[in-house]
Amino acid sequence: MVDEQKDFKKTLREITFKVFKATIKGVLFYAVYYFLTQFLAPISEIVPGFQLMIEAFVMVYITLMILGELTSGTIFHYFFDTAKSLFVVLYLLLTLNEGLLSVNFKNLNLIVDLRLFMTIAMLFSLLGLAKSMLQAINFLSGKAESAAPKCM
């Protein structure tokens, strides 16, 4: 009975710490987003739908980040990290239209080539994808080693 109560308190403490850590990370990430939107406000006047595009990205990214933190210590943590990396790659592909943005402003047609930025961002995201997959393999191999019977 006493062991069950100590185990319950330990589990409750771990869950509380995970929730607190996830909340802090989410709030900090949103604060950075809120601070950066002050500088990006003039762009949203020129590019239609820019603010909505950024808000959707931030909302999904923060959700995946929080879910990853809540499931830390399990294999699902690595699934959410992988999903986060794949989300960044796919979102960049879908929103940047192959890296060429065309903006019409009054009588001026402006074409911005963002292929280099898109390539660098996608490579960093793919690096994060590889990292999370290797961490998942390491996690599972550690679980298999600890579950295997020890031979002398």
Side-chain angles (χ1 to χ4, degrees):
M1 181 72 175
V2 174
D3 290 335
E4 289 177 10
Q5 191 175 19
K6 287 182 181 179
D7 196 36
F8 175 73
K9 285 183 179 181
K10 183 180 176 185
T11 305
L12 185 64
R13 186 175 295 136
E14 287 176 2
I15 291 172
T16 305
F17 178 71
K18 286 180 183 181
V19 168
F20 182 70
K21 187 177 175 183
T23 303
I24 293 297
K25 278 190 169 184
V27 166
L28 286 176
F29 195 82
Y30 187 78
V32 168
Y33 156 73
Y34 185 76
F35 180 71
L36 289 178
T37 55
Q38 306 301 320
F39 296 110
L40 298 176
I43 296 174
S44 62
E45 294 175 5
I46 298 171
V47 179
F50 180 74
Q51 187 71 25
L52 183 63
M53 182 175 65
I54 298 296
E55 284 176 0
F57 175 80
V58 168
M59 181 176 59
V60 173
Y61 193 84
I62 288 176
T63 302
L64 289 173
M65 184 175 55
I66 289 172
L67 289 174
E69 283 299 319
L70 290 176
T71 58
S72 64
T74 66
I75 190 65
F76 296 110
H77 170 75
Y78 305 106
F79 288 149
F80 287 120
D81 278 351
T82 302
K84 191 169 47 171
S85 297
L86 285 175
F87 170 71
V88 171
V89 169
L90 293 175
Y91 201 80
L92 283 172
L93 280 175
L94 291 174
T95 56
L96 291 181
N97 295 331
E98 299 175 7
L100 294 174
L101 291 178
S102 178
V103 178
N104 293 325
F105 186 69
K106 296 185 181 179
N107 291 335
L108 180 67
N109 187 14
L110 180 65
I111 298 176
V112 181
D113 186 8
L114 296 174
R115 288 182 287 192
L116 180 64
F117 164 75
M118 189 173 90
T119 304
I120 292 170
M122 286 177 58
L123 285 174
F124 278 128
S125 188
L126 289 175
L127 185 65
L129 175 69
K131 176 187 165 204
S132 63
M133 289 184 140
L134 289 174
Q135 285 177 336
I137 292 169
N138 186 34
F139 177 79
L140 289 177
S141 67
K143 287 281 190 181
E145 286 177 4
S146 65
K150 297 186 181 196
C151 298
M152 288 193 184

